[in-house]
Amino acid sequence: MRTTKFIGFVAAAATIALLAGCSTPAAGGSPSTKEAASTIAKGTLTVGLSPDFPPMEYLDGDKLVGAEPEVIAEVANRMGLKISFVQQKYDQLMNSVRTGRVDVLVSGVSDNVDRQKTLDMVDYYDSTARFFTTPNQTGNFKQDTDVCGATVAVASNDDYYPAVLEHSKKVCESAGKPAIKVQGTDSGATARLQLEQGRAALAVQGAENIAFFKQKTPGKYEIVLGVLLKQPFSVALKKGNTPLAQEVQKAIQSMYDDGTLEKILTKYGIKDGLRKPVINEVTG
């Protein structure tokens, strides 16, 4: 899921800076809940992220841009808070919020039951894993069983890897068809390279990533077949920080209601993930 930088969205960075300087109270927030929603630094929402996951968050030179920085900047704005971004490696983020070094995380953090043991997740965006291929091969993949026996490249540290294995068992092997030849890679970028070099017939990444690279290099990739896996991305907080989680949810709900959330997602070509925010939606 973690991929390369992309240049070209300076306007997004300017928008983030503008929103961070505002102080309009969140719509619908009750004074008592807001009073209890304390943050590490008074009057500031400290946000941890790993800016290497376009279009959700990435760097344009030294400027932070992407859908999630814009979303969380507007959340802070509606809560009447300033915003501070702390850039870290992805594998450090969960521990940072658990130990109170940041208030919240946004970095393509998917909700699951295991993470809910130590984090509360305000789910606000539906990410879907999709098969994709090169345009000249789209005709080979019209129905789910067409993937049986094909070589599929997917990052081995992604949730998508076991999802491909499960798809192979349910769709292919249970019907007596050849298993998918799953080619594990060290990253989404390497999976795309395997596809481009003809070493794989298909690759798997999140629809938001594919949308980004289709915009960057038109005509290079095409999504095929149905949704492989659906999982919500969230704003993650330390477990038990309920007042803050509720205020974040209220702010995102107001953004959903007035169209602001849709506008941000549309800007980055990922409107299909639009949904209402729910705390700890995943239950199994």
Side-chain angles (χ1 to χ4, degrees):
M1 292 172 67
R2 294 292 182 260
T3 48
T4 56
K5 298 179 186 178
F6 177 55
I7 307 296
F9 287 89
V10 178
T15 301
I16 292 169
L18 176 63
L19 291 174
C22 299
S23 59
T24 304
S30 65
S32 58
T33 307
K34 283 187 179 182
E35 202 170 296
S38 61
T39 54
I40 297 166
K42 187 175 180 180
T44 299
L45 186 68
T46 305
V47 180
L49 49 70
S50 179
D52 52 4
F53 184 36
M56 305 311 286
E57 48 271 314
Y58 56 104
L59 295 175
D60 174 2
D62 61 353
K63 292 181 173 66
L64 175 64
V65 295
E68 290 197 295
E70 288 202 38
V71 168
I72 199 64
E74 179 61 10
V75 167
N77 170 46
R78 295 187 184 212
M79 292 174 65
L81 300 173
K82 295 180 180 179
I83 194 162
S84 173
F85 290 104
V86 178
Q87 298 181 24
Q88 296 179 316
K89 292 183 178 180
Y90 185 78
D91 58 8
Q92 297 173 343
L93 291 174
M94 307 292 177
N95 192 53
S96 286
V97 76
R98 288 168 184 147
T99 56
R101 283 178 283 176
V102 298
D103 295 307
V104 302
L105 305 177
V106 290
S107 218
V109 181
S110 53
D111 185 2
N112 61 51
V113 173
D114 187 60
R115 285 177 176 165
Q116 287 179 23
K117 293 175 183 176
T118 55
L119 300 173
D120 283 323
M121 323 287 281
V122 183
D123 303 329
Y124 79 95
Y125 174 85
D126 279 336
S127 174
T128 55
R130 300 298 301 269
F131 291 101
F132 65 103
T133 188
T134 52
N136 64 314
Q137 296 192 84
T138 55
N140 298 331
F141 303 102
K142 297 294 188 182
Q143 54 188 10
D144 286 346
T145 53
D146 290 340
V147 73
C148 302
T151 300
V152 177
V154 57
S156 56
N157 62 348
D158 265 350
D159 294 338
Y160 307 154
Y161 186 91
V164 174
L165 294 176
E166 185 64 20
H167 185 86
S168 179
K169 290 179 183 178
K170 287 185 176 181
V171 173
C172 302
E173 296 162 60
S174 65
K177 295 182 178 294
I180 296 172
K181 298 171 186 175
V182 185
Q183 186 179 84
T185 67
D186 61 359
S187 67
T190 306
R192 293 193 304 277
L193 183 62
Q194 297 302 300
L195 174 62
E196 293 161 17
Q197 294 181 341
R199 297 188 181 125
L202 297 151
V204 172
Q205 282 191 254
E208 62 279 353
N209 298 126
I210 303 168
F212 178 85
F213 288 106
K214 284 186 70 175
Q215 183 183 57
K216 181 182 177 183
T217 53
K220 194 170 185 178
Y221 306 118
E222 291 295 335
I223 290 175
V224 293
L225 308 177
V227 172
L228 176 65
L229 177 68
K230 181 178 178 180
Q231 54 187 176
F233 283 169
S234 68
V235 178
L237 306 89
K238 185 177 181 180
K239 190 72 177 179
N241 196 352
T242 305
L244 185 58
Q246 289 175 341
E247 287 303 308
V248 169
Q249 181 191 23
K250 288 175 185 176
I252 298 176
Q253 181 65 53
S254 73
M255 292 167 63
Y256 179 90
D257 292 341
D258 68 18
T260 302
L261 183 58
E262 180 177 358
K263 184 177 180 180
I264 293 172
L265 298 182
T266 299
K267 175 179 178 178
Y268 290 93
I270 56 174
K271 177 185 171 181
D272 289 348
L274 179 68
R275 50 155 297 164
K276 293 182 178 181
V278 178
I279 298 175
N280 296 335
E281 180 180 65
V282 176
T283 58

